[in-house]
Amino acid sequence: MSEPSTSAAPHLRRLFDLLADDAPAEALGAVSSQARAAGVPAGDLAEVERATTTALRIRGALRQHRRRELQLTALFDTAGDLAASRDLDDVLKAIVRRARMLLGTDTAYLTLPDEEAGDTYMRVTDGSVSVVFQRLRLELGHGLGGLVAQTARPYATPDYRTDDRFHHTRNINAGVLDEGLVAILGVPLLLGSSRGGTGKVIGVLFAADRAPRVFSPDEVALLCSLAAHAAIAIDTARALADTRSALDELAGANAELAEANAAVRAHSAAMRRAEESHDRLTDLVLRGRDVKDVAAAVAGLLDSPLTIHDPGGRPLAAVRPDGAAFAADGMDAGWLAETAEESRTGARAVHRDGRWICAVLAGQEILAGLVLHRRGPLDDSDRRLFERASVVTGLLLLLRRTVAETENRIRGELISDLLTDADRDPAGLTERGRRLGIDLDRPYLLLVAEGGARERLAPAAMRYLFGGGIHGVSAEHAGAVVLLVEAGDPRPPAGDAARAAADQLGRLAQTPVTVAATGPARGVRELAAAYGEAARCLRAMRVLGRTGEGACVEELGFLGVVLGNVQDVDGFVSATLGPLLEYDAQRGTHLVRTLGAYFGSGGSLVRAKDELHVHVNTVVQRLDRVQVLLGRDWNEPDRALELQLALRLHLLTGGRGR
């Protein structure tokens, strides 16, 4: 007995039959309408509609799987075709033809760089009808292909004519217009690409339509896969062509073959010399030798004087070929930085002004510069030896810096404890310093630095001490970086030391750094007191607008004297501004700020109200209240001088005086 027409079961079976026959989506969608027309109850009808939706989703997934299977098959066929090709022209034609077939586009084409002409040219086209387009040459970086080549990433445009992401030129637009192209997809042909690197772009593969079209991610991925096969095939074909050419040349003359063998033997000997030299240099590192020992070994091997300079240009070592050290002058930091950066970027030694320079690196950071004082050229083996010496030097400097950073961190904890509570255990701090190699009874200059982010300034301070051969220790304390530097003989003035540190720290941290210095001071209590004086000096420099400079208290003139330890700054501020400070604190007013604006504007009510962004009557009313609180003589010369000094010190001390 047949099921009633109002049942959902026949319609559900109909869906299965349509799926099995790979019916179009319209036929599947019509089942719900047929069930509704047949009078299927609402509950069953909802079930039919849900089943229809599921059937459409299954149909889409099946078609997607089949499409991917066809694409993979085509890719495997392409890989086989390319692997079987040995002629470069055949390889390129196969690539472009298969690209057009796989994506179903009107045309496909491939461009390659012309290294001699310095541009890019149309190498192969498929489906093209325009002679102008087929003969098109593109300047580097122009057009969609230039964007692909520069970024090593695929780009697609649904309408080339209106897309402003890349540089349009007259000749490219003319060629595209003559061909009638609208939608274009370009992907790079990459060689040597790997995780963490983009590789070298050796060309660009395109697929294009003469009507607007949005290329799907699957289509982009498909063309990228084809391009990956194509790049390898092109490189292989070129290598085979080069090999055949080399074999033809070698077969042409026995004399040339003998010369080639001699060159191979010479190259092998040079490689062995470079490896033996590298082993010798590495052994110096493993035996704990110094940078000067490495410099002596390299100078002897290359028979030329060699100097090693830190990033600031200061010499770390200077050795003649006979191993004798000599006094080397500092090198211009700008010139060294420029040449070292050129060496780092090119990953090889560079020759400038009669000297060979090779950057000493730790990752991308330049630790130093190796300078070989030699006007003549370096052959490949000597250049390779020189470059390997920079690697060994970098390893040595990095090991030394790691040890120095660890020691500095431990010593820095001592300095932090000393500055936090020097009176708690002076004898214990002194003994602890001796165990760490810091004699706190010796004279030290104390420098306090601030500027930029602490995570950049603290490492810069470490490099300043380590790279500059300065005997001292650094520590982070109270939002700043404190440096304890041994006062040598002759002792540099504190101001000169502050300015030198501000200059070097600013370069290392790549941001303006302000440095205040005091001393020499010796002993736990003197050093703690010197820190307090330097911290106040730093605040004074901040208020005086001397950011990015170095100075000591004595150089700040009268303010420096006032900030000395013999003055009760907080007491003076409280005694002079106390009534105003209390009034502002209790009522939330701005009398202190108004008084500062009034004095700062030279007694002009108009300029004061502009600075305060209030009406001039408000300024007058506030100054009347100041007169009530401070007395009628508040604006007399002597009293006004005291008030201005108190206002400035109130800013310097961070508003502590009450």
Side-chain angles (χ1 to χ4, degrees), residues 307-317 328-331 336 367-371 373:
T307 56
I308 302 176
H309 299 263
D310 70 9
R314 293 185 294 266
L316 302 177
D329 296 331
M331 187 163 291
L336 180 64
L367 298 180
L370 258 63
V371 181
H373 300 263

Side-chain angles (χ1 to χ4, degrees), residues 489-614:
D489 190 16
R491 298 171 183 170
D496 291 347
R499 281 182 286 277
D503 178 63
Q504 288 297 323
L505 290 174
R507 292 182 183 180
L508 293 171
Q510 296 182 339
T511 186
V513 176
T514 309
V515 179
T518 56
R522 66 178 75 211
V524 172
R525 290 189 174 87
E526 275 192 27
L527 289 171
Y531 166 74
E533 184 175 327
R536 289 192 293 273
C537 179
L538 190 65
R539 288 196 298 271
M541 294 176 67
R542 191 186 309 134
V543 173
L544 293 173
R546 298 184 60 174
T547 302
E549 299 181 18
C552 62
V553 171
E554 290 77 7
E555 294 174 341
L556 297 185
F558 180 63
L559 282 179
V561 176
V562 172
L563 288 174
N565 291 328
V566 297
Q567 300 294 330
D568 182 7
V569 176
D570 292 344
F572 174 73
V573 172
S574 296
T576 308
L577 299 177
L580 302 185
L581 293 169
E582 292 177 4
Y583 192 90
D584 283 347
Q586 293 172 1
R587 292 172 174 78
T589 53
H590 303 283
L591 298 184
V592 173
R593 183 183 172 200
T594 301
L595 187 61
Y598 174 75
F599 284 133
S601 60
S604 169
L605 296 175
V606 175
R607 291 201 298 270
K609 67 96 175 174
D610 290 339
E611 181 179 340
L612 296 169
H613 304 291
V614 298

Side-chain angles (χ1 to χ4, degrees), residues 444-527:
Y444 287 92
L445 294 177
L446 192 141
L447 290 74
V448 182
E450 68 175 11
R454 277 189 297 168
E455 57 267 21
R456 294 175 61 182
L457 181 56
M462 180 60 221
R463 293 198 297 274
Y464 169 69
L465 296 174
F466 169 73
I470 299 173
H471 297 289
V473 61
S474 65
E476 296 183 60
H477 184 73
V481 173
V482 180
L483 295 92
L484 210 61
V485 178
E486 288 188 12
D489 190 16
R491 298 171 183 170
D496 291 347
R499 281 182 286 277
D503 178 63
Q504 288 297 323
L505 290 174
R507 292 182 183 180
L508 293 171
Q510 296 182 339
T511 186
V513 176
T514 309
V515 179
T518 56
R522 66 178 75 211
V524 172
R525 290 189 174 87
E526 275 192 27
L527 289 171

Side-chain angles (χ1 to χ4, degrees), residues 2-168:
S2 63
E3 298 181 37
S5 60
T6 58
S7 170
H11 302 286
L12 295 175
R13 284 195 298 273
R14 174 65 175 162
L15 285 174
F16 284 122
D17 292 339
L18 291 173
L19 275 176
D21 295 338
D22 194 22
E26 294 80 4
L28 290 169
V31 173
S32 297
S33 301
Q34 294 168 1
R36 187 178 296 105
V40 173
D44 291 346
L45 181 61
E47 189 66 31
V48 172
E49 291 175 344
R50 284 193 294 271
T52 301
T53 301
T54 302
L56 287 170
R57 192 164 60 250
I58 294 172
R59 178 184 180 276
L62 290 173
R63 293 180 68 86
Q64 179 72 4
H65 286 311
R66 282 195 293 271
R67 184 165 60 252
R68 288 182 178 176
E69 183 179 351
L70 291 174
Q71 291 173 349
L72 287 174
T73 300
L75 279 177
F76 286 132
D77 292 343
T78 299
D81 293 344
L82 297 179
S85 299
R86 290 296 178 266
D87 182 75
L88 183 57
D89 287 334
D90 292 341
V91 169
L92 298 181
K93 290 176 183 178
I95 291 167
V96 175
R97 183 170 57 253
R98 193 59 60 95
R100 182 186 177 199
M101 180 193 72
L102 288 177
L103 270 72
T105 54
D106 295 328
T107 184
Y109 52 99
L110 184 146
T111 61
L112 295 178
D114 187 335
E115 295 182 358
E116 293 184 1
D119 61 5
T120 303
Y121 67 101
M122 196 73 66
R123 184 65 168 82
V124 178
T125 64
D126 193 80
S128 171
V129 296
S130 167
V131 176
V132 174
F133 184 76
Q134 295 165 10
R135 295 177 179 176
L136 192 62
R137 298 188 76 91
L138 300 80
E139 295 294 330
L140 295 177
H142 291 178
L144 185 144
L147 186 61
V148 173
Q150 284 184 332
T151 61
R153 295 174 56 190
Y155 276 88
T157 176
D159 191 342
Y160 178 88
R161 299 163 298 182
T162 61
D163 200 328
D164 59 359
R165 290 178 300 167
F166 36 81
H167 182 64
H168 290 263

Side-chain angles (χ1 to χ4, degrees), residues 354-398:
R355 289 169 287 192
W356 286 87
I357 298 91
C358 192
V360 178
L361 304 174
Q364 293 301 307
E365 178 190 354
I366 297 178
L367 298 180
L370 258 63
V371 181
L372 188 70
H373 300 263
R374 178 170 175 173
R375 292 190 173 276
L378 286 175
D379 59 30
D380 287 344
S381 62
D382 283 347
R383 182 181 55 77
R384 190 175 296 107
L385 190 156
F386 184 50
E387 291 167 353
R388 289 190 176 186
S390 73
V391 176
V392 174
T393 305
L395 174 62
L396 181 59
L397 290 177
L398 192 59

